[in-house]
């Protein structure tokens, strides 16, 4: 009797041990022992110094090594007209490239009427396009016919011939890069955003003037304008009382003087055209090794213990020079299925350090009235279109959108 109890106990102990080891394996505990040190060994294909090849390719020369990655998917609709009428003097200052799912018609309609509205400012040229793939492997003809109708109505759909699904986001993002380089090459800044974001075009245009010191520089500008207003008001009062022969400054003149001062302050903060700005909410994190994760990555796919510094792909901003440089570097970078990680690798290879801003919100920024969004650049979490439109209209009415 006793030996049988011992056998049962040993069997339970054995099964418990096997189960425990399997759980540790499943959740990636052992995988970490085999990861490579990122700081010491990271060298993602194509290995070696690729920048000379990138330079030659970008300038129409024959590079020593040919690109390994071009994302040459066919355009179903290319929107090649979008920036064609823009000459060099009137090139777009800001281009919105919105990553949208093919069936999200309502989200695109809401964005057109809110933050993606191209005529938002009379003196600043903005362009907006929506990046789409096609329906899954079995074509949905009805869905595609609705997209075709949407394109013929609004002429702002860039659709690529690839399956529109989550793990093809890198393809969608890089087709956005390719479209910008090919069809809108003279724009100054490019803003990529998902279609469930709130974005402030006005704040983005203020941000690009002094991104390192945003929003502090705006507070300094506002204080300078307040001092100017007090000085002008004092001058007006003194001229109107102490010396009646001198006409006081009218209210309109005070406003004009303030406006001129504000324009001068802004002009003094213009970014040089060759600045490589790649900005958003910046992360540094480790790969998910537990197999239950949506973002599980095996050692075969990525053997290092850390990701490079990356910008979350839901919303990020690029200057002209950064977009072009990263586009050509991407041709010498092995494809990776997470678009934010891929762009982080590309930026690292290009020698571009991502710039973090707290005003790009990874989670939804709490809305406590327009003042709470005074400096917000972009925030996730607006899949409720009624809420997004309401918030944007309220913030715009207060002058912050």
């Amino acid at each position: 009797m006793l030996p049988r109890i011992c056998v049962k106990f040993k069997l339970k102990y054995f099964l418990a041990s096997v189960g425990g080891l399997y759980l540790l394996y499943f959740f990636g505990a052992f995988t970490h022992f085999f990861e490579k040190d990122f700081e010491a060994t990271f060298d993602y294909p194509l290995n070696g110094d690729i920048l000379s090849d990138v330079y030659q390719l970008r300038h129409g020369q024959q590079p020593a090594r040919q690109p390994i990655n071009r994302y040459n998917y066919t355009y179903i609709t290319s929107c090649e007209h979008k920036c064609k009428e823009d000459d060099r003097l009137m090139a777009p200052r800001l281009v919105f490239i919105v990553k949208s799912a093919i069936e999200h018609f309502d989200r695109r309609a809401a964005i057109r009427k809110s933050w993606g509205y191209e005529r938002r400012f009379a003196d600043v040229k903005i362009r907006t396009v929506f990046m789409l793939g096609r329906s899954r492997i079995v074509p949905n003809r009805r869905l595609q016919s609705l997209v075709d109708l949407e394109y013929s109505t609004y002429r702002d759909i860039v659709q690529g011939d690839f399956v529109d699904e989550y793990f093809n986001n890198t393809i969608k993002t890089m087709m956005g890069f390719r479209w910008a380089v090919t069809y809108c090459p003279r724009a100054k800044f490019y803003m990529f955003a998902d279609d469930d974001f709130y974005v402030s075009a006005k704040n983005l245009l203020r941000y690009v003037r002094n991104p390192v010191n945003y929003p502090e520089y705006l507070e300094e500008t506002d204080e300078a304008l307040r001092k100017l207003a007090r000085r002008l008001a004092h001058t007006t009062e003194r001229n109107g009382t102490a010396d009646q022969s001198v006409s006081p400054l009218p209210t309109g003149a005070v406003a004009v003087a303030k406006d001129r001062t504000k324009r001068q302050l802004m002009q003094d903060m213009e970014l040089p055209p060759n600045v490589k700005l790649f900005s958003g909410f910046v992360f540094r994190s480790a790969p998910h090794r537990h197999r239950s994760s949506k973002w599980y990555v095996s050692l075969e796919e990525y053997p290092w213990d850390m990701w490079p510094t990356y910008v979350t792909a839901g919303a990020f901003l690029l200057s002209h020079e950064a977009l072009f440089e990263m586009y050509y570097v991407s041709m010498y970078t092995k494809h990776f299925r997470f678009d934010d990680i891929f762009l982080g690798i590309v930026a690292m290879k290009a020698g571009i350090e991502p710039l973090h801003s707290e005003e790009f919100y990874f989670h939804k920024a709490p809305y406590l009235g327009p003042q709470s969004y005074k400096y917000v650049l972009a925030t996730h979490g607006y899949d409720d279109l009624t809420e997004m439109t309401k918030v944007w209209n309220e913030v715009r009415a207060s002058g912050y959108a």
Side-chain angles (χ1 to χ4, degrees), residues 55-310:
Y55 179 88
Q56 291 172 324
L57 185 66
R58 183 174 173 181
H59 292 86
Q61 302 170 16
Q62 186 65 30
R65 291 179 291 183
Q66 291 301 308
I68 62 171
N69 190 13
R70 285 188 181 268
Y71 295 104
N72 275 338
Y73 290 86
T74 304
Y75 288 115
I76 298 171
T77 55
S78 65
C79 257
E80 59 184 87
H81 64 277
K82 181 59 76 167
C83 300
K84 188 169 284 186
E85 74 278 12
D86 301 319
D87 59 33
R88 191 170 296 276
L89 295 176
M90 291 297 292
R93 183 161 182 79
L94 178 63
V95 177
F96 286 121
I97 300 174
V98 185
K99 295 174 289 177
S100 182
I102 188 171
E103 67 274 11
H104 288 176
F105 298 97
D106 290 345
R107 293 190 187 185
R108 293 192 287 275
I111 290 170
R112 288 186 188 102
K113 296 176 182 177
S114 58
W115 57 264
Y117 181 55
E118 291 186 338
R119 295 182 178 86
R120 173 72 181 88
F121 305 104
D123 58 341
V124 179
K125 186 163 287 188
I126 294 174
R127 292 288 177 263
T128 301
V129 294
F130 296 92
M131 294 298 306
L132 278 63
R134 58 172 170 79
S135 58
R136 298 185 182 276
I137 296 172
V138 177
N140 186 328
R141 298 186 186 281
R142 181 179 178 277
L143 185 59
Q144 184 59 49
S145 66
L146 290 173
V147 172
D148 293 341
L149 177 61
E150 182 182 16
Y151 173 75
S152 65
T153 303
Y154 298 104
R155 307 267 290 164
D156 59 4
I157 302 292
V158 178
Q159 188 177 18
D161 189 18
F162 62 92
V163 177
D164 203 335
E165 60 184 13
Y166 180 76
F167 287 118
N168 280 345
N169 268 338
T170 299
I171 297 172
K172 182 181 287 186
T173 298
M174 294 317 300
M175 285 203 69
F177 273 68
R178 180 179 150 210
W179 177 85
V181 168
T182 305
Y183 297 119
C184 205
R186 290 194 290 271
K188 292 189 176 181
F189 298 96
Y190 303 86
M191 174 72 180
F192 286 71
D194 290 347
D195 63 8
D196 60 349
F197 266 73
Y198 160 96
V199 178
S200 169
K202 185 170 185 177
N203 284 346
L204 284 170
L205 293 169
R206 298 195 296 178
Y207 175 73
V208 297
R209 294 184 180 278
N210 193 348
V212 174
N213 297 312
Y214 181 90
E216 289 79 10
Y217 91 88
L218 290 175
E219 295 168 353
E220 294 171 1
T221 301
D222 290 342
E223 179 58 29
L225 291 172
R226 282 193 290 270
K227 288 180 179 178
L228 174 65
R230 287 195 295 269
R231 186 163 66 248
L232 291 172
H234 177 68
T235 302
T236 301
E237 181 181 345
R238 187 180 66 233
N239 289 344
T241 55
D243 185 355
Q244 297 298 326
S245 64
V246 179
S247 299
L249 284 171
T251 304
V254 175
V256 169
K258 286 178 66 178
D259 185 58
R260 285 176 180 168
T261 303
K262 188 170 186 176
R263 285 202 304 270
Q264 185 60 51
L265 287 167
M266 292 300 185
Q267 287 169 2
D268 291 343
M269 297 175 179
E270 189 73 24
L271 275 183
N274 61 344
V275 167
K276 298 176 183 178
L277 175 67
F278 176 34
S279 184
F281 193 95
V282 176
F283 267 110
R284 187 77 195 281
S285 63
H288 287 208
R289 299 302 187 187
H290 47 95
R291 286 165 173 76
S292 62
S293 172
K294 178 181 179 180
W295 300 283
Y296 166 73
V297 175
S298 68
L299 287 174
E300 290 74 23
E301 186 177 10
Y302 187 89
W304 294 279
D305 60 350
M306 293 292 292
W307 298 123
T309 303
Y310 64 93

Side-chain angles (χ1 to χ4, degrees), residues 343-396:
L343 290 178
I345 296 170
V346 168
M348 185 176 182
K349 284 177 165 289
I352 298 173
E353 183 177 355
L355 178 65
H356 176 72
S357 172
E358 293 290 337
E359 300 302 333
F360 283 92
Y361 283 81
F362 179 65
H363 298 293
K364 189 174 183 178
Y367 183 68
L368 306 172
Q371 193 69 21
S372 65
Y373 273 40
K374 182 176 182 179
Y375 298 122
V376 169
L377 298 166
T379 174
H380 189 218
Y382 278 95
D383 47 359
D384 183 335
L385 304 180
T386 302
E387 181 189 18
M388 191 276 286
T389 304
K390 176 178 177 292
V391 168
W392 185 84
N393 281 322
E394 290 180 1
V395 178
R396 179 184 61 84

